[in-house]
Amino acid sequence: MKILQIQSRKQVELIDITREVCAAVREQVVAEGLAVVFTPHTTAAVTINENADPDVCHDMVTAINRLVPMQDSYRHMEGNSAAHVKSSLFGASETLIISNGEAQLGTWQGVFFCEFDGPRQRRVHVQVIGR
Amino acid sequence: MKILQIQSRKQVELIDITREVCAAVREQVVAEGLAVVFTPHTTAAVTINENADPDVCHDMVTAINRLVPMQDSYRHMEGNSAAHVKSSLFGASETLIISNGEAQLGTWQGVFFCEFDGPRQRRVHVQVIGR
Amino acid sequence: MKILQIQSRKQVELIDITREVCAAVREQVVAEGLAVVFTPHTTAAVTINENADPDVCHDMVTAINRLVPMQDSYRHMEGNSAAHVKSSLFGASETLIISNGEAQLGTWQGVFFCEFDGPRQRRVHVQVIGR
């Protein structure tokens, strides 16, 4: 298992980790298999989306902030309940297919670490299995 | 890795691909393992839900369209930001458990390709690993 | 594949199954691999979130109930369309990374069965692969 270190800069942002994930996959020299990209934090997530136009990330952050407001009648005393909800909606991990020795992402797809309660020092785990 | 070809007919729709996915799993002759169903598009998704009553898909499409409106103060110039948001909420892939040589879906579960920016020609990848 | 039996008590609740999932992983004696936690029901889900402060679950239930109202102009005659939508938003499964023989969860992470149409008798499947 490989551990990636990520420093987020904003409270809510999507950080492109495609290059680091694909490098971790290549290191394992697996021809056919799977790679799981997993974050061990409960106020963050991993997602796959377009990494060509940065306006897509901007719109995604705006949309998720509108869906799950920062302030609501939350009980959790730490004040970051919205981040926990966003984490479950986006999910703690993504699974990539490895074929011909490469992670099979689409032309416009990138892998993003989703920060929902930053800025913080964060981690992402990458596990590769296959033959 | 097997590639399924899908032709969507509407802007937003769920297309049942259970039969094709289960056939792709059986072809690999794996007794115990995993099957990952992954779409390489950033305005689409893969989900698991009921495929008995078509009204479930109708209600899911209505609900996701209400949650993420087509028109909002989006920046992305292509006009399909809602589709990108829906893609991350539903997720680019689903992972099925293979046991006794079969994908272990529940009685009412089907695997759906989710079109959020159609109609288009689309693809779904299926990777099987195990023993 | 291991099958966990779960009895939900409320219409909508998150049930902590971390201990049972980690026990199922240890039973398989896999050093490096993956564990998939999958529910075969279409009105339930599996998610990963904080299991230290029970107020986090309370706030997540409140937030998802607000996002997807129980009553709306749904067509599906069983009256549980909201549960189907929630199931696709949270997802039918979570994938855990196994390293050094243990499921690699973060300090605050737990695995939850998400009941969206209870109370009912439910099942969760756990499949472990690796070396």
Side-chain angles (χ1 to χ4, degrees):
Chain A
M1 187 183 81
K2 174 121 184 188
I3 299 179
L4 308 178
Q5 301 288 341
I6 294 162
Q7 176 65 54
S8 63
R9 307 284 170 192
K10 302 182 184 170
Q11 187 179 18
V12 178
E13 66 174 323
L14 305 192
I15 298 173
D16 189 346
I17 57 171
T18 312
R19 201 177 50 183
E20 293 84 348
V21 167
C22 289
V25 168
R26 267 181 229 117
E27 275 175 21
Q28 299 301 312
V29 197
V30 158
E32 299 293 318
L34 302 176
V36 171
V37 184
F38 180 99
T39 185
H41 308 288
T42 57
T43 54
V46 177
T47 199
I48 292 172
N49 220 298
E50 182 182 320
N51 66 353
D53 177 3
D55 281 346
V56 171
C57 283
H58 171 90
D59 289 347
M60 285 177 56
V61 166
T62 304
I64 191 78
N65 282 345
R66 186 180 56 75
L67 275 175
V68 188
M70 294 291 181
Q71 306 301 330
D72 209 337
S73 52
Y74 299 123
R75 274 200 204 164
H76 182 47
M77 295 292 284
E78 291 182 51
N80 59 358
S81 286
H84 287 288
V85 177
K86 291 167 184 172
S87 176
S88 278
L89 287 176
F90 272 49
S93 73
E94 289 289 344
T95 301
L96 309 182
I97 291 173
I98 302 171
S99 191
N100 298 316
E102 295 278 345
Q104 296 295 311
L105 287 165
T107 311
W108 307 106
Q109 281 182 324
V111 183
F112 292 89
F113 173 78
C114 308
E115 175 62 81
F116 295 131
D117 191 34
R120 296 204 202 191
Q121 181 68 29
R122 301 291 209 170
R123 278 175 299 136
V124 167
H125 300 167
V126 182
Q127 178 71 300
V128 172
I129 58 164
R131 58 184 182 271
Chain B
M1 187 183 81
K2 174 122 181 186
I3 300 179
L4 309 178
Q5 301 287 342
I6 294 163
Q7 175 65 53
S8 64
R9 307 284 171 192
K10 301 181 186 172
Q11 186 178 18
V12 179
E13 66 174 322
L14 305 191
I15 298 173
D16 189 347
I17 57 172
T18 312
R19 200 177 53 184
E20 293 84 350
V21 167
C22 289
V25 168
R26 268 182 229 115
E27 276 175 22
Q28 298 302 312
V29 198
V30 159
E32 299 294 319
L34 302 176
V36 172
V37 185
F38 181 98
T39 185
H41 308 288
T42 57
T43 53
V46 177
T47 199
I48 293 172
N49 219 299
E50 182 183 320
N51 65 353
D53 177 3
D55 281 346
V56 171
C57 283
H58 171 91
D59 289 348
M60 286 177 55
V61 167
T62 304
I64 191 76
N65 283 344
R66 185 180 57 73
L67 275 174
V68 188
M70 294 290 180
Q71 305 301 330
D72 210 336
S73 53
Y74 299 122
R75 274 202 206 163
H76 181 46
M77 295 293 283
E78 291 183 50
N80 59 359
S81 285
H84 287 288
V85 177
K86 292 167 184 174
S87 175
S88 277
L89 288 175
F90 272 50
S93 73
E94 290 289 342
T95 301
L96 308 183
I97 292 173
I98 303 171
S99 191
N100 297 316
E102 296 276 347
Q104 295 296 310
L105 287 165
T107 312
W108 308 107
Q109 280 181 327
V111 183
F112 292 89
F113 173 78
C114 308
E115 175 61 79
F116 294 132
D117 191 35
R120 293 206 205 190
Q121 180 69 28
R122 300 291 208 171
R123 277 175 298 135
V124 168
H125 301 167
V126 182
Q127 178 71 300
V128 172
I129 59 164
R131 58 185 183 270
Chain C
M1 186 183 81
K2 175 122 181 186
I3 299 179
L4 309 178
Q5 301 287 340
I6 294 162
Q7 176 65 55
S8 64
R9 308 283 172 193
K10 300 180 185 172
Q11 187 179 17
V12 178
E13 66 174 323
L14 305 192
I15 299 172
D16 190 346
I17 58 172
T18 312
R19 200 176 52 184
E20 293 85 347
V21 167
C22 289
V25 168
R26 269 182 228 115
E27 275 175 22
Q28 298 302 312
V29 198
V30 158
E32 298 293 319
L34 302 176
V36 172
V37 185
F38 180 98
T39 184
H41 308 288
T42 56
T43 55
V46 177
T47 198
I48 292 171
N49 220 299
E50 182 182 320
N51 65 353
D53 177 3
D55 281 346
V56 171
C57 284
H58 171 90
D59 289 346
M60 285 177 55
V61 166
T62 304
I64 191 78
N65 283 345
R66 186 180 57 73
L67 275 175
V68 188
M70 294 290 181
Q71 306 301 330
D72 210 334
S73 52
Y74 299 123
R75 273 200 205 164
H76 181 48
M77 295 293 285
E78 290 183 51
N80 59 358
S81 286
H84 287 288
V85 176
K86 291 167 184 172
S87 175
S88 278
L89 287 175
F90 273 49
S93 73
E94 290 288 345
T95 301
L96 308 182
I97 291 173
I98 303 172
S99 190
N100 297 317
E102 295 277 346
Q104 295 295 312
L105 286 165
T107 312
W108 308 105
Q109 281 182 325
V111 183
F112 292 89
F113 173 79
C114 308
E115 175 61 82
F116 295 131
D117 191 34
R120 295 205 203 190
Q121 180 69 30
R122 300 291 208 171
R123 278 176 296 137
V124 167
H125 301 165
V126 182
Q127 177 73 298
V128 172
I129 59 165
R131 55 183 184 272

